[in-house]
Amino acid sequence: MSTARTADLWWKNAVFYCLDAETFRDSDGDGAGDLVGLTERIDYLAGLGITCLWLMPFYPSPNRDDGYDITDYYGVDDRLGTLGDFVALVRTAKDRGLRVIIDLVINHTSDQHPWFRTARRSANSRFRDYYVWQDEPQDEPDAEVVFPDAEDSIWSWDEQAQQWYLHHFYGHQPDLNIASPAVREEMAKIAGFWLELGVDGFRVDAVPYLLETGGIDGELQLDPHSYLKDLRSFIARRRGDAVLLGEVNLPTDELVAYFGDEQADEIQMLFAFPLMQQLYLSLARQDARPLAAAVRELPEVSEQSQWAIFVRNHDELTLDKLSDDEREEVFAAFGPDESMQLFGRGLRRRLPPMLDGDQQRLRLVYSLMFSLPGSPVLFYGEEIGMGENLDIEGRLSVRTPMQWTDGKNAGFSDARPSRLRRPVTEGQFGPLAVNVSDQERDPDSLLNWMQRLIRRRRETPEFGWGAWQLLDTGDDAVLGHQCDWEGRRVLALHNLSSSPRELRVAVPDTGASEVVDLLGSDGKALELENGRLELKLEGYGYRWLRVRPSTA
Ligand code: NOJ
């Protein structure tokens, strides 16, 4: 593999960091974070070692779904700044070696978008066909509402239009009709616009819903994947190394189709939702087998495809692919109180409170996240161990202001606390105990540990590029896997139980005689005898090891 190609396929060994400018840093004291505030903190992110920022929606929006309800795809919402601020942000990020991807929300608009306002007013308007209308909603037995707390059908009656319109999400988010060539043209223009402004790709929102054409009239039926191919080839023409990172929460065997034919012509990166859900089951049981099964099932990727590995994101921690009993086990372990659960399928908590703040176990989980096959995606605040605020409604509980200091408003804003758009987290995981400033000074802090982990991960491309294989650890509580790439091999061992383990790990096909610890502080080599590695792991212990070729 030439270094030129590894640079082009940068997402194979990238570390992503997702944030919403609104909750990161408020530069003008109005109580909401903004693009200028974020730009001022780019050095913090570069110092942490992440390589690509994923910006959650910043477009003009009535903000009824935290910006995922867009009224203008070409702008920046006033509360966050201006288009000029956006360009300055991208320029600054590039200067510090960071890439930037942004959310592309093409499944729906806000009902306040001028397209929808015009469409509902007149059946003759050219915008009518931008959305999906029916005189009588078709029966779609499989179609489930995404937010069952707010909606009971994917169809809503519109008084003005005197027709029903389709919306998989909230009623105020009408679905776009992607079978319409005009809508496709609009979306290409939008993607092209932001590429010209320097973004490196897009996190594509709600992909499977976008392709659900059940409600679209017969004449307009299309091969759903053909749209993704169109979009991808348009983007590739504009910018060869732009990435698409797709939100596709489907069972593993259905996921892989979204990489496209030969895994080459649709989305390059997909979130590993099924793997993430099995990881929580394994954590709850202190048993590595569910996770091992998920790793075994994870389809191999092509040279350009990649899994996005995450443990938390901005939404509920969805456990929808687990059986009811399994989900109950995870609820019992990590969110027993009903107030911690959402939609009957997920948890609205961050990881540290779920693990009762156990630092060793927390690090075990991030060590897994950074070594499982793929590229890791962090959600802001994970690097310092922020918690959630359950007093905030629904999914917003995990989207509290970034905790910079132990001072006023966690150093997020100079506004009067009552003016903050969202309150700061309080208690054990609040800013008095968890903040950047304190952790920067403490060599043993999670922040400094995470920074070292990120550096090591970037230096270990085998995890991103390599062919993976499970190892026989002889212990159900311990996940072992290896990644091979370009004649190099790394091993990773993770003890999901709280008790120490003595292991004899079988390392296949190696003429090597020793392995070197990549994370520990002493860097001592361990002997590999006849393909067997003997070692101890403490409770929730983890190791990354590089196999050193035999010199004999
Ligand atoms: C998925 C996003 O992650 C979520 O936050 C949003 O509410 C829906 N898509 C609708 O856009």
Side-chain angles (χ1 to χ4, degrees), residues 65 68 108 147 169 173 203 205 247 314-315 395 399:
D65 183 15
Y68 281 95
H108 49 265
F147 301 128
F169 295 90
Q173 288 166 319
R203 180 265 190 186
D205 187 59
E247 187 203 18
H314 60 287
D315 287 323
R395 291 170 297 150
R399 306 185 201 175

Side-chain angles (χ1 to χ4, degrees), residues 101-122:
I101 65 169
I102 61 175
D103 252 289
L104 187 63
V105 186
I106 51 188
N107 178 69
H108 49 265
T109 66
S110 158
D111 62 357
Q112 298 308 305
H113 193 292
W115 296 340
F116 191 71
R117 292 165 70 128
T118 315
R120 72 191 337 178
R121 265 200 309 269
S122 156

Side-chain angles (χ1 to χ4, degrees), residues 17 24 41 44 381 383-384 386 402-406 410 431 433-442 445 447-448:
Y17 186 99
F24 206 60
R41 295 295 152 99
Y44 164 77
E383 72 275 24
I384 53 172
M386 274 170 55
M402 179 68 180
Q403 294 169 193
W404 296 103
T405 69
D406 62 2
V434 175
N435 68 72
V436 171
S437 170
D438 287 351
Q439 292 197 25
E440 278 182 336
R441 284 189 210 102
D442 172 2
S445 67
L447 178 61
N448 277 314

Side-chain angles (χ1 to χ4, degrees), residues 249 272-281 283-284 310-322 327 330-331 333-335 340-355 365 379 382 388 394-399:
N249 178 15
F273 276 99
L275 185 83
M276 181 277 290
Q277 302 197 22
Q278 296 297 327
L279 165 65
Y280 279 93
L281 186 60
L283 289 170
F310 69 109
V311 296
R312 279 304 282 120
N313 65 13
H314 60 287
D315 287 323
E316 81 280 9
L317 159 56
T318 182
L319 302 166
D320 63 342
K321 303 288 179 286
L322 300 184
R327 191 177 315 108
V330 179
F331 280 177
F334 301 130
M340 300 165 174
Q341 302 164 9
L342 200 61
F343 309 138
R345 64 173 183 242
L347 291 169
R348 51 192 213 99
R349 308 190 77 190
R350 280 181 178 256
L351 185 64
M354 287 195 265
L355 303 182
V365 176
F379 182 48
E382 284 195 284
E388 70 280 349
R395 291 170 297 150
L396 300 183
S397 56
V398 299
R399 306 185 201 175

Side-chain angles (χ1 to χ4, degrees), residues 462-476:
E462 292 91 334
F463 287 133
W465 279 92
W468 61 86
Q469 192 181 326
L470 288 173
L471 295 172
D472 179 5
T473 63
D475 188 326
D476 289 343

Side-chain angles (χ1 to χ4, degrees), residues 307-432:
W307 297 111
I309 310 291
F310 69 109
V311 296
R312 279 304 282 120
N313 65 13
H314 60 287
D315 287 323
E316 81 280 9
L317 159 56
T318 182
L319 302 166
D320 63 342
K321 303 288 179 286
L322 300 184
S323 71
D324 291 349
D325 288 347
E326 291 168 343
R327 191 177 315 108
E328 284 309 322
E329 277 181 69
V330 179
F331 280 177
F334 301 130
D337 200 297
E338 221 170 286
S339 68
M340 300 165 174
Q341 302 164 9
L342 200 61
F343 309 138
R345 64 173 183 242
L347 291 169
R348 51 192 213 99
R349 308 190 77 190
R350 280 181 178 256
L351 185 64
M354 287 195 265
L355 303 182
D356 296 323
D358 183 330
Q359 283 291 316
Q360 176 67 29
R361 203 176 185 194
L362 201 53
R363 291 173 195 204
L364 165 85
V365 176
Y366 287 112
S367 168
L368 267 169
M369 177 175 131
F370 276 75
S371 59
L372 286 168
S375 291
V377 184
L378 280 166
F379 182 48
Y380 78 95
E382 284 195 284
E383 72 275 24
I384 53 172
M386 274 170 55
E388 70 280 349
N389 183 341
L390 291 175
D391 294 339
I392 307 177
E393 198 207 331
R395 291 170 297 150
L396 300 183
S397 56
V398 299
R399 306 185 201 175
T400 57
M402 179 68 180
Q403 294 169 193
W404 296 103
T405 69
D406 62 2
K408 180 179 166 189
N409 299 327
F412 160 74
S413 168
D414 294 333
R416 261 185 288 119
S418 60
R419 291 199 67 203
L420 289 192
R421 296 213 129 224
R422 225 167 272 158
V424 167
T425 300
E426 286 171 3
Q428 195 191 341
F429 300 94
L432 291 184

